[in-house]
Amino acid sequence: MNIITTDCGDYTRLMVEGRVDTNTSPQFQAAILNTYQKSKNVVVDFLNVVYISSAGLRALLIGKKTSDAKGGTFKLTNINATVKSVLDMSGFSKIIDIV
């Protein structure tokens, strides 16, 4: 998994590539938390993510809780049908903004 961080002014974008699973979710979670050290608005771009596991969902939940605690935003964008299905089935699409 690769993550590219881009400062976009009002928010920071995390462009994620690859699988977000048990092996990569610690790196993903660390990237989210490090980004909230510098910015209170984060957009995670899943354009190149083909799979997310429950460990990846946990990292998303931590991102959402961190944004709420800081009074910021946490959004997901460019989600493919497979990942969207996992988010829908787990209820995450109801608690995390998808744009």
Side-chain angles (χ1 to χ4, degrees):
M1 179 183 70
N2 292 319
I3 301 172
I4 300 169
T5 304
T6 307
D7 183 355
C8 299
D10 292 341
Y11 66 94
T12 301
R13 181 179 70 152
L14 298 176
M15 179 69 134
V16 184
E17 179 180 279
R19 295 170 56 94
V20 183
D21 56 23
T22 303
N23 295 325
T24 60
S25 65
Q27 176 190 355
F28 180 50
Q29 180 178 324
I32 291 169
L33 293 176
N34 288 337
T35 301
Y36 275 112
Q37 300 278 331
K38 303 168 194 140
S39 175
K40 68 178 199 172
N41 300 310
V42 175
V43 174
V44 180
D45 192 329
F46 268 26
L47 179 65
N48 297 311
V49 172
V50 295
Y51 174 82
I52 188 166
S53 72
S54 60
L57 293 176
R58 180 180 182 276
L60 290 177
L61 184 60
I62 289 170
K64 173 63 175 158
K65 287 184 175 187
T66 302
S67 75
D68 290 349
K70 293 188 171 270
T73 61
F74 185 71
K75 298 179 181 181
L76 303 179
T77 190
N78 294 323
I79 298 173
N80 68 35
T82 304
V83 173
K84 178 76 166 79
S85 174
V86 172
L87 294 173
D88 289 344
M89 285 189 295
S90 63
F92 275 67
S93 57
K94 293 178 182 172
I95 61 171
I96 296 177
D97 291 334
I98 299 174
V99 294

